[in-house]
Amino acid sequence: MRAFNAELSKLFSLPSIWLAFLIGAFAPAVIAALDSTAQKEKIIAGVSTRLSEVGYIGLGLGVQGVIILGVLAVSSEYLTESSESGGGNQITTSLTVVSSRFHFLLAKASAVTVISILLSVVAILTTVSATNLILGEYAPAFEASRLIGAVCYWIFTALLAFGITVLTKNGIIPLAVLIINSSVVTVSYLLAKVTKLAFYLPDKAGVDMFMFTSDSFHTPFKGGLIMFAWVAVLFIVAAIVFHRRDVTS
Amino acid sequence: MSVSSSRKITLILGAELEKLVTLPLVWLTLMGTFILNLVLAAAFTSAGLQGAAGTQSILKIGLASMGYLQAGFIILGILATCSEYTGGQIRTTLTTIPWRGFQLFTKHLALAIVTIPMAFIIAASGVLYAFIMMKDTALVIEIDAMIKTLVGATSYLTLTTLLSAAIGALLRRTTPALVVLLGHYFIVSPLLKDFLPSIKNYFPDTAGYYMFMPPSSDEINVLTPMQGTGVSMLWTLIIITVAIVFFRKRDA
């Protein structure tokens, strides 16, 4: 528990984390608002084919915020300080204090999970109110089961970012890969056109938890299970690698 | 010690080039981009092969991966300037080269020298792959159209790299710079395309898009390649200037 509190305090004191909070909390609402405005006429005319996902698209794209969170939580530990202030690494200090590597990883992952849940709840609140404000009575129904799916999607994505960064120790690659892959036209989407196997990629399966588009491949529950399996496997690999590895090399 | 100014430029340029070339992450990024581009080109080509024969444009399919490819060059630009700030290298740099504006300008120049050949090789490899795979089914392409397109793509990637380097120099930290740039290129800009079609053409990425996209009959090209180049270049120059001004005024 003390390690968990320490991890929370470390996360909150990172300067870049505010970027994650800002993006996670408000970008979904902005995107949903823009999309609602663009779709409003079509919806009123009754010709919109995307009514069921208008608000949710913000939640799908706003996951960027927790990606930054998950990556920063790990990569900040590996930043080398300048040679003038000793050239130290935070990870060395962290592992001196919490000497069980497994506990350290667990505490960090729990801190990331808790913040992701908070962020996704805030994001849902802002998104739902923005959509309702613009679309009024035409706003899509926000069912609890789909919103829970969105929260799960955010948590799993944050943990994926976390796990990949434990392996790479550097934030650049996971940030680039994950930001691009959760953008408007994802690589997985393109791959899905080439092979059916791409539907089993974590992001493609995870989106099925709350976006019911025409090309949905899995049921929400199955999509969640597939994404969870990815997260679990990644965590086992990350934990083993982290356990066996020399601290900074 | 007095050194003539032309000698000074060569010395600084040499130093900046050497710093870039010895940064391991630069080579990792370029290699990763190259491999990723081939994988994507393969995916796009096999998707294209399923389409109707005789109607596919090799150039269009070979360059379809450009949208993703630019991420590698954004990272390259950010790395070039932000690496100075991790571990206080910047103070050593400024002790040996106390002309700040000059230093940052030369850094961009060195970056351009490294980027241009790599951008050309990577862009050309995608087109080459598409060409080899599709030569029987696709339309015949003229050699000068291909050269024009490749030059456009290379200059687009180079301008993107320089723009990213300038943003990196402004923000000085890798993560925010990466988030801002990738967020713009991959999320904000595609969304604006749908919601605000009137101003989208004047963003650096959409304007740059016209630099290499072969003119097609089914959609209207709003900007000519030259106009696109002009708009992108203007963006890059403005941001580099802002970066240099800030760099001169700010504490290192």
Side-chain angles (χ1 to χ4, degrees):
Chain A
M1 203 60 211
R2 281 169 66 193
F4 172 73
N5 286 340
E7 290 303 332
L8 271 186
S9 131
K10 269 198 269 184
L11 272 179
F12 277 113
S13 56
L14 282 174
S16 310
I17 210 80
W18 300 107
L19 188 69
F21 288 168
L22 202 71
I23 292 177
F26 297 109
V30 174
I31 294 167
L34 280 172
D35 192 35
S36 309
T37 329
Q39 288 277 311
K40 194 172 184 182
E41 278 171 37
K42 276 190 180 170
I43 292 173
I44 292 175
V47 292
S48 172
T49 50
R50 303 181 36 235
L51 179 58
S52 61
E53 44 165 324
V54 162
Y56 291 97
I57 194 165
L59 294 175
L61 290 172
V63 81
Q64 247 79 30
V66 293
I67 292 176
I68 304 171
L69 171 80
V71 169
L72 271 181
V74 184
S75 68
S76 65
E77 295 268 348
Y78 286 99
L79 274 185
T80 319
E81 280 160 40
S82 71
S83 52
E84 291 136 43
S85 51
N89 258 324
Q90 200 185 49
I91 186 90
T92 325
T93 317
S94 302
L95 286 180
T96 314
V97 182
V98 183
S99 47
S100 158
R101 294 198 177 194
F102 181 67
H103 279 155
F104 170 75
L105 213 56
L106 200 66
K108 218 173 192 38
S110 319
V112 169
T113 311
V114 168
I115 299 181
S116 310
I117 295 175
L118 284 180
L119 259 185
S120 60
V121 171
V122 174
I124 286 173
L125 288 180
T126 54
T127 311
V128 170
S129 37
T131 319
N132 276 321
L133 209 64
I134 290 171
L135 289 178
E137 52 176 317
Y138 299 103
F142 285 95
E143 302 142 33
S145 60
R146 283 179 75 179
L147 291 180
I148 291 171
V151 174
C152 288
Y153 181 65
W154 280 48
I155 300 170
F156 292 159
T157 310
L159 290 177
L160 275 181
F162 180 91
I164 298 174
T165 320
V166 171
L167 293 177
T168 60
K169 291 186 289 189
N170 185 313
I172 296 174
I173 296 158
L175 259 188
V177 170
L178 289 166
I179 288 188
I180 293 171
N181 210 23
S182 59
S183 68
V184 180
V185 178
T186 67
V187 179
S188 334
Y189 175 78
L190 292 171
L191 284 180
K193 289 189 164 170
V194 181
T195 160
K196 279 271 178 293
L197 280 177
F199 283 107
Y200 290 90
L201 286 173
D203 59 320
K204 203 88 186 78
V207 161
D208 286 343
M209 285 193 280
F210 64 103
M211 295 273 267
F212 303 145
T213 48
S214 49
D215 61 340
S216 284
F217 192 75
H218 306 291
T219 60
F221 183 69
K222 198 173 147 212
L225 269 187
I226 293 171
M227 196 172 183
F228 179 74
W230 277 95
V231 173
V233 169
L234 186 68
F235 250 85
I236 293 168
V237 174
I240 293 172
V241 170
F242 186 64
H243 192 78
R244 298 178 59 93
R245 187 156 66 183
D246 200 5
V247 182
T248 49
S249 62
Chain B
M1 186 179 76
S2 69
V3 190
S4 72
S5 70
S6 65
R7 174 118 178 84
K8 208 153 75 183
I9 296 178
T10 358
L11 278 173
I12 298 176
L13 192 63
E16 291 295 340
L17 267 178
E18 186 159 349
K19 270 196 275 182
L20 269 181
V21 172
T22 50
L23 210 59
L25 273 173
V26 164
W27 297 109
L28 278 178
T29 311
L30 284 173
M31 252 148 62
T33 315
F34 182 73
I35 294 167
L36 198 75
N37 182 48
L38 279 187
V39 172
L40 282 173
F44 278 113
T45 310
S46 75
L49 280 175
Q50 292 165 9
T55 57
Q56 307 289 328
S57 153
I58 288 178
L59 280 177
K60 214 163 192 165
I61 288 173
L63 289 173
S65 54
M66 279 288 281
Y68 299 103
L69 182 58
Q70 60 187 7
F73 286 88
I74 292 175
I75 297 176
L76 179 69
I78 294 175
L79 279 178
T81 44
C82 286
S83 66
E84 291 268 0
Y85 289 96
T86 49
Q89 194 190 55
I90 187 75
R91 283 181 279 278
T92 316
T93 306
L94 286 179
T95 313
T96 39
I97 313 170
W99 311 278
R100 289 194 169 202
F102 209 48
Q103 190 267 331
L104 196 61
F105 177 77
T106 332
K107 188 171 222 40
H108 282 90
L109 198 64
L111 187 60
I113 294 175
V114 174
T115 310
I116 291 172
M118 297 313 281
F120 184 78
I121 292 171
I122 293 179
S125 71
V127 176
L128 193 68
Y129 182 86
F131 178 72
I132 293 170
M133 299 303 289
M134 303 182 69
K135 53 176 178 238
D136 310 325
T137 56
L139 298 171
V140 197
I141 48 170
E142 299 103 38
I143 238 18
D144 55 329
M146 184 148 119
I147 290 172
K148 240 184 230 164
T149 318
L150 280 180
V151 168
T154 309
S155 19
Y156 171 69
L157 289 175
T158 312
L159 285 177
T160 309
T161 315
L162 294 181
L163 184 82
S164 314
I167 299 269
L170 268 178
L171 296 176
R172 295 188 284 190
R173 280 170 188 278
T174 318
T175 315
L178 203 60
V179 170
V180 166
L181 280 164
L182 290 180
H184 172 78
Y185 276 84
F186 288 95
I187 298 174
V188 177
S189 178
L191 282 176
L192 284 181
K193 245 171 249 179
D194 296 340
F195 303 141
L196 298 168
S198 51
I199 57 162
K200 65 152 199 208
N201 286 317
Y202 298 99
F203 279 107
D205 55 330
T206 354
Y209 173 81
Y210 293 109
M211 289 165 67
F212 59 86
M213 236 24 212
S216 57
S217 47
D218 52 314
E219 47 190 299
I220 309 143
N221 273 357
V222 191
L223 300 175
T224 62
M226 281 328 279
Q227 280 170 324
T229 316
V231 174
S232 301
M233 221 170 222
L234 207 62
W235 273 99
T236 312
L237 286 179
I238 290 174
I239 295 182
I240 291 178
T241 317
V242 173
I244 289 180
V245 169
F246 268 86
F247 187 56
R248 284 178 59 96
K249 296 212 172 274
R250 222 161 25 182
D251 202 4

